[in-house]
Amino acid sequence: AQTVTQSQPEMSVQEAETVTLSCTYDTSESDYYLFWYKQPPSRQMILVIRQEAYKQQNATENRFSVNFQKAAKSFSLKISDSQLGDAAMYFCASALDSGAGSYQLTFGKGTKLSVIP
Amino acid sequence: GAVVSQHPSRVICKSGTSVKIECRSLDFQATTMFWYRQFPKQSLMLMATSNEGSKATYEQGVEKDKFLINHASLTLSTLTVTSAHPEDSSFYICSARALMNTEAFFGQGTRLTVV
């Protein structure tokens, strides 16, 4: 079984500043994947960034980067140069093969990010 | 990225009636589809996982006779809420994944209101 914990229900950041969202997870598997999803007010789930557990290098996508600490089971998301459009709910998720190649996602409870103009 | 279309986006139905929600993968073959339920200001709760041509696997506590899932083709899965009641009002989201692909693509969601 997997669990994903996001300990920050809400965060805020000034526009153009940097913010870090925390996530920890628990799994006994060695092969798994980690994701950050964004859910804006439209409620469409949007993939922000993904990390393969077997890769030591932290994933980066433009202004978004992660700090993946496998031993600590930590997977934080850093948003640089925050923009108003970054305001949303952010969900951390983990996935492992639940059988027949069906990677089932387990979500954290989410962090609501507000961006202050 | 791949596109998953979910329809309808909003539906209001009377208590006791059934409602069908469709989830289509438009440009890839979705061997696995997932159905989630999301309550206001909460996370996504997995209801069931369906593989094309097989019966869906329901999560603990989800009534399979109430939430009928069909995944008859590689591009279409449906969720039917049978004999809907006001407590079934929620936001339902589907996601789809191609074989051995670890990334899931999400539909736009369906807001169901039972009156």
Side-chain angles (χ1 to χ4, degrees), chain A residues 28-116:
Chain A
S28 58
E29 302 294 327
S30 59
D31 183 20
Y32 54 90
Y33 299 81
L34 299 167
F35 305 84
W36 277 97
Y37 282 91
K38 170 184 177 181
Q39 188 180 40
S42 68
R43 304 191 78 170
Q44 172 74 58
M45 294 289 284
I46 302 166
L47 178 64
V48 175
I49 199 166
R50 57 177 284 170
Q51 173 83 42
E52 291 85 350
Y54 62 84
K55 289 186 177 179
Q56 292 186 339
Q57 187 173 6
N58 290 325
T60 299
E61 287 288 343
N62 300 313
R63 298 183 294 108
F64 300 88
S65 61
V66 298
N67 183 3
F68 175 46
Q69 301 290 328
K70 190 170 184 178
K73 296 183 178 176
S74 171
F75 183 61
S76 61
L77 174 70
K78 185 172 82 171
I79 306 174
S80 304
D81 186 25
S82 297
Q83 300 176 0
L84 295 178
D86 295 335
M89 281 291 290
Y90 285 82
F91 292 100
C92 178
S94 66
L96 52 81
D97 188 359
S98 56
S102 60
Y103 288 84
Q104 183 174 301
L105 286 167
T106 299
F107 287 93
K109 292 188 175 183
T111 297
K112 182 179 180 181
L113 178 66
S114 301
V115 180
I116 304 165

Side-chain angles (χ1 to χ4, degrees), chain B residues 18-36:
Chain B
S18 295
V19 174
K20 180 183 286 187
I21 303 170
E22 292 188 347
C23 182
R24 293 180 184 275
S25 57
L26 299 186
D27 50 4
F28 69 100
Q29 293 185 330
T31 50
T32 306
M33 286 191 173
F34 304 89
W35 287 94
Y36 298 87

Side-chain angles (χ1 to χ4, degrees), chain B residues 16-20 63-68 79-85 88:
Chain B
T17 62
S18 295
V19 174
K20 180 183 286 187
E63 298 176 60
K64 63 180 181 181
D65 294 330
K66 181 167 189 60
F67 298 101
L68 300 179
L79 167 67
T80 302
V81 182
T82 62
S83 186
H85 291 284
D88 298 325

